[in-house]
Amino acid sequence: MTVLDRLLRARRLRAQQREPDLPQAARAVAIIMDGNGRWARRRGLPVAAGHRAGTAALRRTVEAAPDLGIRSLCVYAFSTENWTRPDDEVSDLMDLFAETIRGQFEDLHRQGVRIRFFGRRDRASDSLRAQMAGIEERTAANERLDLWVAFDYGGRAEIVEACREIVRSGVTAEGVDAALIRQSLAAPDLPDPDLVIRTSGEQRLSNFLLWQSAYAEYVFTTTLWPDFGADALRDALAEYARRRRRFGGR
Ligand code: IPE
Ligand code: IPE
Ligand code: MG
């Protein structure tokens, strides 16, 4: 073997050793749960039936997540723009959130899931606000999985609110950095997602986690949210595992 061969071989070996760089599992996953309306329409059902089926999909997904290596799951439940939907749909959604907290979330609590909401709360009813605070408090010591629910959330509103808080604090211009902005976001403890999944075939962010997703991987699936569950989650994670994240480096 010539010196050149040896050098090339050594380089090849080093490259192979670098392969384990490939991400094994996404520990922080975020989901834009979309397609409830189309799911219902295709079955000739009212849109509320689609949202209800969506809550069953959420439960399946949350229950499957810990065994797939996920530690933090963040879901987009209601956006700041969703208030523009017809009044009866918004009202059905609010009723469904209350029912979900009372039923499913209590079950998830017994399975060790910690639940936190982020986004605006002042536009929710007093009773829904109290329910959110109650389940957050009851699940605070749970450690099996962190479930973050984005409710009345919008990425732009979140950044605007962070700017206001920073200005109010009186910090100098030079004192503003990425870490301070991060701390001023709606949920400073929410980890940046490794993977963002959007169901229903739409390929856009719709104002979700604008700051936090700067280097997330995206998986778009045509599965409608009410049809999502353990298998679809596993498929998305398998696609993530084939990606190579660079973070701007080589
Ligand atoms: C997502 O499903 C649920 C919410 C936005 C609350 P959609 O209701 O947006 O479903 P499509 O997009 O109309 O199918
Ligand atoms: C994004 O879905 C919001 C949630 C999933 C809660 P939308 O259905 O509201 O988004 P657009 O209108 O298709 O962008
Ligand atoms: Mg939609």
Side-chain angles (χ1 to χ4, degrees):
M1 195 186 272
T2 65
V3 174
L4 183 63
D5 282 340
R6 251 198 293 275
L7 272 174
L8 288 173
R9 183 159 172 258
R11 184 185 284 182
R12 228 176 13 250
L13 277 174
R14 270 203 307 278
Q16 277 165 8
Q17 277 157 6
R18 274 204 301 273
E19 280 296 304
D21 264 354
L22 286 171
Q24 295 302 302
R27 294 179 70 74
V29 173
I31 306 182
I32 303 173
M33 308 183 289
D34 197 15
N36 295 351
R38 276 161 284 173
W39 185 93
R41 214 163 35 248
R42 281 178 203 174
R43 285 166 175 74
L45 295 170
V47 66
H51 292 313
R52 182 172 293 281
T55 66
L58 175 61
R59 185 194 184 119
R60 292 195 295 273
T61 306
V62 172
E63 289 181 347
D67 291 339
L68 294 171
I70 297 171
R71 280 287 307 126
S72 163
L73 184 67
C74 174
V75 294
Y76 204 5
F78 194 82
S79 76
T80 47
E81 289 72 42
N82 288 148
W83 292 109
T84 63
R85 294 193 177 194
D87 288 348
D88 57 345
E89 181 177 356
V90 170
S91 146
D92 285 345
L93 274 168
M94 295 303 143
D95 290 346
L96 195 57
F97 290 140
E99 189 185 311
T100 302
I101 297 174
R102 262 195 312 273
Q104 280 188 22
F105 283 11
E106 289 297 342
D107 289 345
L108 294 176
H109 169 35
R110 284 188 279 278
Q111 296 175 42
V113 178
R114 178 173 187 185
I115 300 167
R116 276 170 282 186
F117 295 86
F118 67 104
R120 283 179 65 167
R121 296 205 189 186
D122 57 308
R123 296 191 282 198
S125 68
D126 289 348
S127 65
L128 184 56
R129 232 189 346 261
Q131 276 188 288
M132 290 184 193
I135 195 81
E136 285 180 327
E137 209 179 297
R138 281 193 294 290
T139 63
N142 290 349
E143 290 184 340
R144 186 161 152 77
L145 177 79
D146 287 326
L147 176 64
W148 297 88
V149 182
F151 172 83
D152 199 357
Y153 170 85
R156 287 186 171 177
E158 176 181 45
I159 292 170
V160 167
E161 200 39 58
C163 292
R164 288 181 178 155
E165 193 180 308
I166 289 169
V167 170
R168 273 188 229 113
S169 77
V171 70
T172 60
E174 289 68 32
V176 179
D177 58 12
L180 180 62
I181 293 175
R182 183 108 204 29
Q183 274 167 42
S184 312
L185 295 176
D189 295 334
L190 171 71
D192 287 352
D194 297 308
L195 167 66
V196 178
I197 300 168
R198 182 166 187 153
T199 57
S200 88
E202 308 298 349
Q203 301 191 3
R204 54 178 170 262
L205 298 185
S206 302
N207 207 8
F208 190 46
L209 302 182
L210 297 184
W211 177 276
Q212 299 87 338
S213 296
Y215 271 104
E217 295 293 326
Y218 289 86
V219 169
F220 298 104
T221 165
T222 53
T223 301
L224 300 174
W225 176 248
D227 294 326
F228 201 86
D231 290 345
L233 181 60
R234 201 174 296 112
D235 289 349
L237 290 169
E239 185 168 339
Y240 172 85
R242 289 193 290 273
R243 304 277 176 85
R244 175 147 185 268
R245 302 178 79 183
R246 293 200 183 81
F247 299 101
R250 278 269 162 250

